[in-house]
Amino acid sequence: MNKKTAHILWFKEINKNDIPLVGGKGANLGEMVKAGIPVPDGFVVTAKAYYDFINSTSIKKKIMTEMSGLDVEDSDKLVKAAERVRLAILQAEMPKELIEEIKTYYNELSGESDKYVAVRSSATAEDLPEASFAGQQESYLEIKGWKSVATHVQKCWASLFTARAIFYRNENKFSHLKVGIAVPVQLMCQSDASGIMFTVNPVTNNDEEISIEAAFGLGQPVVSGEITPDQYVVSKKTGKITSRTIVPQDWQLTMEGKTPISKKYKKAQKMTNKQIVELAKIGMQIEKHYGRPQDIEYGVEKGKIKIVQSRPVTTLIQKTKNLAVEEGKGSKVLFEGLAASPGVFSGKVQIVKSPKEISKVKEDDILVAEMTNPDYVPAMKRAGAIVTDLGGRTSHAAIVSRELGVPAIVGTLNATKMLSSGEIITVDGASGKVYEGDITVVVEETKRSKIDLSKIKTATKIYVNLAEPELASEMAARNTDGIGLLRAEFIIANIGTHPKKFIKDGKKKEFINKLAEGLEKFADAFNPRPVVYRFTDFKSNEYANLKGGAEFESDEPNPMIGYRGVSRYIKDIDVFEMELEAIKIVRNKKGLKNLWVMMPFVRTVKELEEVKKIVSASGLRRSGTFKFWMMVEIPSNVILLDDFIDVGIDGVSIGTNDLTMLTLGVDRDNEKVADIYSEMNPAVLASLEKIVTTCKKRDVTCSVCGQAPSVFPELVEMMVDWGMTSVSISPDVIEKTREIVYEAEKKVLNRKKEGSGKKSSSSKKTSAVKKKAIKKTSSSKSKKKK
């Protein structure tokens, strides 16, 4: 049989070399079947079938006509052209021979009675094996009957021409006629229990352990974070279960939808010990086959384990966990910058001058650019390390690098001039140094915490700061209590057009829906854990960079303390109301009541009063499920905190970045004065103490947002003692911060247990810690200057 001419192939006939024909999903399923992994059976309608379909009908001509001269920057024209092509594909008649083949294969797959299948899209391009089309096409679940399968295969073909997919191909200069689509059709696992298995512990990065999550019913709620699953850990060496955490479950997802779980099973273990051990063995088999740790989705149907999907684990510190810099022996420091994201990595330099060049960055290259913006994110995900000329540790490059767990150095001033593409360098993201050549060494794994960080809970909530929607599900699977800072700016930057241009063009709904889509990804992934959305805090110069921005923004001498935050909402009420509408869609229409809001840069008490009136008028009012927070990041917030609280807020989040900058009068993104910037400065510490103690006294929750808690353990101990209720940090330091908080809480608790007669010892201890921390910080600064 010549596979290249086949319209349909069984999984067992497919291997990893067939990606151009069956796509990545199909090839992966075929590989697992050949390796003897228990995969639900199925077949793939190949890309050849799609190409023959468009060539045998008028579709090819229609595609060429619609795509010729299309201005993809004109969103109206793009959407309409996409709709016309999809409609043409759906209305065209599928070749009868192919329909008969689908009928034959489906009937053989189902047996005596029709069975439910999943019909998924898998775009592929024969001449572009490195191209990624993930998430651009449609997939359909619970499809039954051969006619319905054939219909949904055609729907998958049509999804190759969504506006987003057309835009992506156009931007990357891929021919619309050379990109095809394969459609895997797979029996659905009617799971009694299901979940996710990692063949490396994703929290501790212990590669000697297998981590398994399990819940009753279908696995979608586990993946999305709607259900907190059981957690099982299995030792690879002994094959024995080393720990079990059983979590009560009230409902499960079945083919009938959400169904309640009987009282008898609510607190039951989701899998038997025998099934857990068997699943772990399968996990090790899959890992051995692929030669790297795997993230595996599985189901248990009538006692039998089925593997639905397997993909490589992308742990946050996978690339750098065993590397260190070997100083001496001729190691040469080329230059230094600001340490932005920890880790050590060595690789080939790829200088990128604009987003149009991001395709130059291959897997594990070192991305070097003047600065980054959201358009760089696809390349940043591939990069082994990131170095920029400009920016501080709260710049786009720094924030995204920490979210991705990639070592990064920013504010080097001239990395793009000192380095050349192809040059080998070593990046130390913790020290801010760039070295000539590869001077990395593999080191013994550092001493692990005695605490299982995947299980411990702390009285102080550990929230995460997030900006990239694509990371929401991955972060939701980790030991966090929610999102304490959801940055609006990245979602809006991805939309790409100034909000006022949408209003001017009569497209308010388009902006609102796009923003709501972005917010929904975060709220859905973390539900029921809170997601605190910080309203847009773009500065005028950042707004000006959006499409149409120059028309609506004027130059400001100092945008950092200019037209931003609540001041803008009150004056640009039409833009602010679009954000409020997006929030209402997510909370009311989508039913995600875990989405809360937070006001940034509130300069005066009157501003807070006015903006609250606007929010209330929109129909969003404080309640048990809707919390209204305020950022405390301006000295006026500290001085008049009681007055701000009197207006009516549920919580504050201390923005340590802006508060430190404005207290010390330091531009945090200016490399020349960066050494003065420190959260441990006595003036900043005095402000932090006042904020936390005031909030505790007024019974208002108090969160701390920024890098400070993970950088200064001494600060955490002080703030826990003062009464901090939560901390929100970047993903790369979740476990580290959880442990710091855990240890700090233990110390504070032990001191309090000493008795009321020694109550003053707690404040004395805090004072001593403060003095020691200040001295330590001052000492390190002076050493830096020398």
PDB file of all heavy atoms in Angstrom, residues 586-610:
ATOM      1  N   VAL A 586     -17.998  37.466  30.909  1.00  0.00           N
ATOM      2  CA  VAL A 586     -17.320  36.316  31.523  1.00  0.00           C
ATOM      3  C   VAL A 586     -18.038  35.878  32.795  1.00  0.00           C
ATOM      4  O   VAL A 586     -18.241  34.684  33.035  1.00  0.00           O
ATOM      5  CB  VAL A 586     -15.843  36.650  31.826  1.00  0.00           C
ATOM      6  CG1 VAL A 586     -15.162  35.483  32.525  1.00  0.00           C
ATOM      7  CG2 VAL A 586     -15.103  36.997  30.532  1.00  0.00           C
ATOM      8  N   ARG A 587     -18.450  36.844  33.612  1.00  0.00           N
ATOM      9  CA  ARG A 587     -19.082  36.518  34.889  1.00  0.00           C
ATOM     10  C   ARG A 587     -20.534  36.047  34.718  1.00  0.00           C
ATOM     11  O   ARG A 587     -20.950  35.078  35.347  1.00  0.00           O
ATOM     12  CB  ARG A 587     -19.049  37.733  35.824  1.00  0.00           C
ATOM     13  CG  ARG A 587     -17.699  37.976  36.475  1.00  0.00           C
ATOM     14  CD  ARG A 587     -17.765  39.154  37.447  1.00  0.00           C
ATOM     15  NE  ARG A 587     -18.810  38.989  38.439  1.00  0.00           N
ATOM     16  CZ  ARG A 587     -18.689  38.289  39.559  1.00  0.00           C
ATOM     17  NH1 ARG A 587     -17.533  37.676  39.838  1.00  0.00           N
ATOM     18  NH2 ARG A 587     -19.690  38.186  40.417  1.00  0.00           N
ATOM     19  N   ASN A 588     -21.285  36.728  33.878  1.00  0.00           N
ATOM     20  CA  ASN A 588     -22.721  36.458  33.782  1.00  0.00           C
ATOM     21  C   ASN A 588     -23.077  35.455  32.686  1.00  0.00           C
ATOM     22  O   ASN A 588     -23.772  34.471  32.944  1.00  0.00           O
ATOM     23  CB  ASN A 588     -23.485  37.767  33.570  1.00  0.00           C
ATOM     24  CG  ASN A 588     -23.249  38.748  34.714  1.00  0.00           C
ATOM     25  OD1 ASN A 588     -22.946  38.351  35.839  1.00  0.00           O
ATOM     26  ND2 ASN A 588     -23.371  40.040  34.436  1.00  0.00           N
ATOM     27  N   LYS A 589     -22.598  35.684  31.468  1.00  0.00           N
ATOM     28  CA  LYS A 589     -22.947  34.779  30.368  1.00  0.00           C
ATOM     29  C   LYS A 589     -22.181  33.466  30.440  1.00  0.00           C
ATOM     30  O   LYS A 589     -22.701  32.405  30.120  1.00  0.00           O
ATOM     31  CB  LYS A 589     -22.707  35.466  29.019  1.00  0.00           C
ATOM     32  CG  LYS A 589     -23.683  36.609  28.741  1.00  0.00           C
ATOM     33  CD  LYS A 589     -23.520  37.151  27.333  1.00  0.00           C
ATOM     34  CE  LYS A 589     -24.515  38.285  27.075  1.00  0.00           C
ATOM     35  NZ  LYS A 589     -24.342  38.853  25.712  1.00  0.00           N
ATOM     36  N   LYS A 590     -20.912  33.543  30.857  1.00  0.00           N
ATOM     37  CA  LYS A 590     -20.095  32.327  30.948  1.00  0.00           C
ATOM     38  C   LYS A 590     -20.178  31.689  32.329  1.00  0.00           C
ATOM     39  O   LYS A 590     -19.698  30.576  32.536  1.00  0.00           O
ATOM     40  CB  LYS A 590     -18.630  32.639  30.612  1.00  0.00           C
ATOM     41  CG  LYS A 590     -18.418  33.294  29.251  1.00  0.00           C
ATOM     42  CD  LYS A 590     -18.812  32.371  28.126  1.00  0.00           C
ATOM     43  CE  LYS A 590     -18.574  33.028  26.761  1.00  0.00           C
ATOM     44  NZ  LYS A 590     -18.962  32.132  25.643  1.00  0.00           N
ATOM     45  N   GLY A 591     -20.749  32.408  33.287  1.00  0.00           N
ATOM     46  CA  GLY A 591     -20.942  31.850  34.629  1.00  0.00           C
ATOM     47  C   GLY A 591     -19.684  31.711  35.453  1.00  0.00           C
ATOM     48  O   GLY A 591     -19.644  30.950  36.420  1.00  0.00           O
ATOM     49  N   LEU A 592     -18.634  32.454  35.096  1.00  0.00           N
ATOM     50  CA  LEU A 592     -17.358  32.353  35.819  1.00  0.00           C
ATOM     51  C   LEU A 592     -17.297  33.467  36.868  1.00  0.00           C
ATOM     52  O   LEU A 592     -16.738  34.536  36.642  1.00  0.00           O
ATOM     53  CB  LEU A 592     -16.192  32.432  34.827  1.00  0.00           C
ATOM     54  CG  LEU A 592     -16.143  31.252  33.838  1.00  0.00           C
ATOM     55  CD1 LEU A 592     -15.188  31.532  32.694  1.00  0.00           C
ATOM     56  CD2 LEU A 592     -15.753  29.957  34.546  1.00  0.00           C
ATOM     57  N   LYS A 593     -17.878  33.181  38.023  1.00  0.00           N
ATOM     58  CA  LYS A 593     -18.003  34.183  39.080  1.00  0.00           C
ATOM     59  C   LYS A 593     -16.703  34.375  39.866  1.00  0.00           C
ATOM     60  O   LYS A 593     -16.659  35.163  40.817  1.00  0.00           O
ATOM     61  CB  LYS A 593     -19.117  33.774  40.061  1.00  0.00           C
ATOM     62  CG  LYS A 593     -20.486  33.623  39.416  1.00  0.00           C
ATOM     63  CD  LYS A 593     -21.030  34.957  38.928  1.00  0.00           C
ATOM     64  CE  LYS A 593     -22.467  34.802  38.433  1.00  0.00           C
ATOM     65  NZ  LYS A 593     -23.016  36.067  37.912  1.00  0.00           N
ATOM     66  N   ASN A 594     -15.669  33.644  39.502  1.00  0.00           N
ATOM     67  CA  ASN A 594     -14.378  33.782  40.202  1.00  0.00           C
ATOM     68  C   ASN A 594     -13.554  34.951  39.666  1.00  0.00           C
ATOM     69  O   ASN A 594     -12.439  35.188  40.127  1.00  0.00           O
ATOM     70  CB  ASN A 594     -13.559  32.491  40.091  1.00  0.00           C
ATOM     71  CG  ASN A 594     -13.264  32.100  38.645  1.00  0.00           C
ATOM     72  OD1 ASN A 594     -14.104  32.274  37.768  1.00  0.00           O
ATOM     73  ND2 ASN A 594     -12.087  31.563  38.403  1.00  0.00           N
ATOM     74  N   LEU A 595     -14.082  35.685  38.681  1.00  0.00           N
ATOM     75  CA  LEU A 595     -13.367  36.836  38.122  1.00  0.00           C
ATOM     76  C   LEU A 595     -13.654  38.079  38.956  1.00  0.00           C
ATOM     77  O   LEU A 595     -14.797  38.524  39.039  1.00  0.00           O
ATOM     78  CB  LEU A 595     -13.784  37.057  36.661  1.00  0.00           C
ATOM     79  CG  LEU A 595     -13.082  38.195  35.914  1.00  0.00           C
ATOM     80  CD1 LEU A 595     -11.579  37.949  35.819  1.00  0.00           C
ATOM     81  CD2 LEU A 595     -13.671  38.375  34.514  1.00  0.00           C
ATOM     82  N   TRP A 596     -12.634  38.623  39.608  1.00  0.00           N
ATOM     83  CA  TRP A 596     -12.725  39.834  40.415  1.00  0.00           C
ATOM     84  C   TRP A 596     -12.004  40.962  39.690  1.00  0.00           C
ATOM     85  O   TRP A 596     -11.391  40.746  38.641  1.00  0.00           O
ATOM     86  CB  TRP A 596     -12.094  39.630  41.798  1.00  0.00           C
ATOM     87  CG  TRP A 596     -12.686  38.517  42.603  1.00  0.00           C
ATOM     88  CD1 TRP A 596     -13.828  37.807  42.343  1.00  0.00           C
ATOM     89  CD2 TRP A 596     -12.143  37.958  43.817  1.00  0.00           C
ATOM     90  NE1 TRP A 596     -14.037  36.853  43.311  1.00  0.00           N
ATOM     91  CE2 TRP A 596     -13.028  36.926  44.237  1.00  0.00           C
ATOM     92  CE3 TRP A 596     -11.020  38.236  44.601  1.00  0.00           C
ATOM     93  CZ2 TRP A 596     -12.804  36.170  45.389  1.00  0.00           C
ATOM     94  CZ3 TRP A 596     -10.799  37.493  45.746  1.00  0.00           C
ATOM     95  CH2 TRP A 596     -11.684  36.469  46.143  1.00  0.00           C
ATOM     96  N   VAL A 597     -12.051  42.179  40.256  1.00  0.00           N
ATOM     97  CA  VAL A 597     -11.386  43.303  39.595  1.00  0.00           C
ATOM     98  C   VAL A 597     -10.496  44.085  40.568  1.00  0.00           C
ATOM     99  O   VAL A 597     -10.680  44.039  41.786  1.00  0.00           O
ATOM    100  CB  VAL A 597     -12.403  44.277  38.957  1.00  0.00           C
ATOM    101  CG1 VAL A 597     -13.206  43.589  37.882  1.00  0.00           C
ATOM    102  CG2 VAL A 597     -13.317  44.899  40.009  1.00  0.00           C
ATOM    103  N   MET A 598      -9.553  44.799  39.974  1.00  0.00           N
ATOM    104  CA  MET A 598      -8.622  45.600  40.772  1.00  0.00           C
ATOM    105  C   MET A 598      -8.299  46.902  40.033  1.00  0.00           C
ATOM    106  O   MET A 598      -8.055  46.898  38.826  1.00  0.00           O
ATOM    107  CB  MET A 598      -7.331  44.805  41.023  1.00  0.00           C
ATOM    108  CG  MET A 598      -6.275  45.540  41.832  1.00  0.00           C
ATOM    109  SD  MET A 598      -5.097  44.391  42.563  1.00  0.00           S
ATOM    110  CE  MET A 598      -4.331  43.663  41.100  1.00  0.00           C
ATOM    111  N   MET A 599      -8.331  48.003  40.772  1.00  0.00           N
ATOM    112  CA  MET A 599      -8.061  49.322  40.202  1.00  0.00           C
ATOM    113  C   MET A 599      -6.581  49.688  40.378  1.00  0.00           C
ATOM    114  O   MET A 599      -6.084  49.707  41.506  1.00  0.00           O
ATOM    115  CB  MET A 599      -8.913  50.390  40.909  1.00  0.00           C
ATOM    116  CG  MET A 599     -10.384  50.254  40.657  1.00  0.00           C
ATOM    117  SD  MET A 599     -10.763  50.587  38.929  1.00  0.00           S
ATOM    118  CE  MET A 599     -12.428  49.898  38.846  1.00  0.00           C
ATOM    119  N   PRO A 600      -5.896  50.011  39.282  1.00  0.00           N
ATOM    120  CA  PRO A 600      -4.494  50.418  39.402  1.00  0.00           C
ATOM    121  C   PRO A 600      -4.333  51.942  39.465  1.00  0.00           C
ATOM    122  O   PRO A 600      -5.191  52.687  38.988  1.00  0.00           O
ATOM    123  CB  PRO A 600      -3.884  49.885  38.107  1.00  0.00           C
ATOM    124  CG  PRO A 600      -4.990  50.030  37.109  1.00  0.00           C
ATOM    125  CD  PRO A 600      -6.281  49.817  37.874  1.00  0.00           C
ATOM    126  N   PHE A 601      -3.264  52.378  40.063  1.00  0.00           N
ATOM    127  CA  PHE A 601      -2.838  53.773  40.043  1.00  0.00           C
ATOM    128  C   PHE A 601      -3.986  54.734  40.387  1.00  0.00           C
ATOM    129  O   PHE A 601      -4.381  55.586  39.594  1.00  0.00           O
ATOM    130  CB  PHE A 601      -2.235  54.128  38.681  1.00  0.00           C
ATOM    131  CG  PHE A 601      -0.935  54.884  38.816  1.00  0.00           C
ATOM    132  CD1 PHE A 601       0.216  54.233  39.206  1.00  0.00           C
ATOM    133  CD2 PHE A 601      -0.877  56.250  38.578  1.00  0.00           C
ATOM    134  CE1 PHE A 601       1.423  54.932  39.351  1.00  0.00           C
ATOM    135  CE2 PHE A 601       0.315  56.954  38.719  1.00  0.00           C
ATOM    136  CZ  PHE A 601       1.475  56.290  39.112  1.00  0.00           C
ATOM    137  N   VAL A 602      -4.513  54.565  41.605  1.00  0.00           N
ATOM    138  CA  VAL A 602      -5.590  55.439  42.094  1.00  0.00           C
ATOM    139  C   VAL A 602      -4.932  56.573  42.879  1.00  0.00           C
ATOM    140  O   VAL A 602      -4.470  56.382  43.996  1.00  0.00           O
ATOM    141  CB  VAL A 602      -6.568  54.669  43.011  1.00  0.00           C
ATOM    142  CG1 VAL A 602      -7.782  55.529  43.323  1.00  0.00           C
ATOM    143  CG2 VAL A 602      -6.986  53.356  42.365  1.00  0.00           C
ATOM    144  N   ARG A 603      -4.907  57.768  42.306  1.00  0.00           N
ATOM    145  CA  ARG A 603      -4.129  58.858  42.905  1.00  0.00           C
ATOM    146  C   ARG A 603      -4.824  59.493  44.116  1.00  0.00           C
ATOM    147  O   ARG A 603      -4.173  59.877  45.082  1.00  0.00           O
ATOM    148  CB  ARG A 603      -3.860  59.934  41.855  1.00  0.00           C
ATOM    149  CG  ARG A 603      -2.884  59.501  40.764  1.00  0.00           C
ATOM    150  CD  ARG A 603      -2.694  60.627  39.756  1.00  0.00           C
ATOM    151  NE  ARG A 603      -1.565  60.391  38.885  1.00  0.00           N
ATOM    152  CZ  ARG A 603      -1.658  59.947  37.631  1.00  0.00           C
ATOM    153  NH1 ARG A 603      -2.850  59.662  37.130  1.00  0.00           N
ATOM    154  NH2 ARG A 603      -0.577  59.768  36.897  1.00  0.00           N
ATOM    155  N   THR A 604      -6.165  59.635  44.047  1.00  0.00           N
ATOM    156  CA  THR A 604      -6.877  60.353  45.105  1.00  0.00           C
ATOM    157  C   THR A 604      -8.102  59.578  45.566  1.00  0.00           C
ATOM    158  O   THR A 604      -8.617  58.712  44.835  1.00  0.00           O
ATOM    159  CB  THR A 604      -7.341  61.747  44.618  1.00  0.00           C
ATOM    160  OG1 THR A 604      -8.368  61.573  43.627  1.00  0.00           O
ATOM    161  CG2 THR A 604      -6.187  62.552  44.037  1.00  0.00           C
ATOM    162  N   VAL A 605      -8.580  59.911  46.741  1.00  0.00           N
ATOM    163  CA  VAL A 605      -9.790  59.290  47.278  1.00  0.00           C
ATOM    164  C   VAL A 605     -10.982  59.619  46.376  1.00  0.00           C
ATOM    165  O   VAL A 605     -11.833  58.767  46.109  1.00  0.00           O
ATOM    166  CB  VAL A 605     -10.049  59.779  48.721  1.00  0.00           C
ATOM    167  CG1 VAL A 605     -11.382  59.248  49.244  1.00  0.00           C
ATOM    168  CG2 VAL A 605      -8.912  59.359  49.640  1.00  0.00           C
ATOM    169  N   LYS A 606     -11.025  60.845  45.875  1.00  0.00           N
ATOM    170  CA  LYS A 606     -12.124  61.247  44.993  1.00  0.00           C
ATOM    171  C   LYS A 606     -12.150  60.403  43.721  1.00  0.00           C
ATOM    172  O   LYS A 606     -13.220  60.029  43.226  1.00  0.00           O
ATOM    173  CB  LYS A 606     -11.987  62.727  44.641  1.00  0.00           C
ATOM    174  CG  LYS A 606     -13.191  63.255  43.849  1.00  0.00           C
ATOM    175  CD  LYS A 606     -13.048  64.740  43.507  1.00  0.00           C
ATOM    176  CE  LYS A 606     -14.245  65.209  42.689  1.00  0.00           C
ATOM    177  NZ  LYS A 606     -14.098  66.618  42.257  1.00  0.00           N
ATOM    178  N   GLU A 607     -10.974  60.108  43.171  1.00  0.00           N
ATOM    179  CA  GLU A 607     -10.909  59.256  41.977  1.00  0.00           C
ATOM    180  C   GLU A 607     -11.531  57.888  42.261  1.00  0.00           C
ATOM    181  O   GLU A 607     -12.255  57.341  41.433  1.00  0.00           O
ATOM    182  CB  GLU A 607      -9.454  59.068  41.528  1.00  0.00           C
ATOM    183  CG  GLU A 607      -8.910  60.175  40.664  1.00  0.00           C
ATOM    184  CD  GLU A 607      -7.594  59.794  39.999  1.00  0.00           C
ATOM    185  OE1 GLU A 607      -6.914  58.859  40.493  1.00  0.00           O
ATOM    186  OE2 GLU A 607      -7.248  60.421  38.995  1.00  0.00           O
ATOM    187  N   LEU A 608     -11.224  57.328  43.426  1.00  0.00           N
ATOM    188  CA  LEU A 608     -11.776  56.019  43.775  1.00  0.00           C
ATOM    189  C   LEU A 608     -13.297  56.087  43.882  1.00  0.00           C
ATOM    190  O   LEU A 608     -14.009  55.188  43.415  1.00  0.00           O
ATOM    191  CB  LEU A 608     -11.168  55.519  45.093  1.00  0.00           C
ATOM    192  CG  LEU A 608     -11.621  54.121  45.541  1.00  0.00           C
ATOM    193  CD1 LEU A 608     -11.233  53.064  44.518  1.00  0.00           C
ATOM    194  CD2 LEU A 608     -11.030  53.772  46.910  1.00  0.00           C
ATOM    195  N   GLU A 609     -13.805  57.161  44.475  1.00  0.00           N
ATOM    196  CA  GLU A 609     -15.252  57.335  44.598  1.00  0.00           C
ATOM    197  C   GLU A 609     -15.918  57.391  43.218  1.00  0.00           C
ATOM    198  O   GLU A 609     -16.948  56.749  42.979  1.00  0.00           O
ATOM    199  CB  GLU A 609     -15.563  58.625  45.373  1.00  0.00           C
ATOM    200  CG  GLU A 609     -15.201  58.552  46.853  1.00  0.00           C
ATOM    201  CD  GLU A 609     -15.328  59.903  47.546  1.00  0.00           C
ATOM    202  OE1 GLU A 609     -15.417  60.941  46.834  1.00  0.00           O
ATOM    203  OE2 GLU A 609     -15.318  59.936  48.786  1.00  0.00           O
ATOM    204  N   GLU A 610     -15.297  58.150  42.315  1.00  0.00           N
ATOM    205  CA  GLU A 610     -15.885  58.320  40.982  1.00  0.00           C
ATOM    206  C   GLU A 610     -15.861  57.026  40.176  1.00  0.00           C
ATOM    207  O   GLU A 610     -16.839  56.678  39.516  1.00  0.00           O
ATOM    208  CB  GLU A 610     -15.136  59.431  40.227  1.00  0.00           C
ATOM    209  CG  GLU A 610     -15.422  60.835  40.764  1.00  0.00           C
ATOM    210  CD  GLU A 610     -14.802  61.925  39.899  1.00  0.00           C
ATOM    211  OE1 GLU A 610     -14.762  61.752  38.671  1.00  0.00           O
ATOM    212  OE2 GLU A 610     -14.344  62.940  40.456  1.00  0.00           O
TER     213      GLU A 610
END
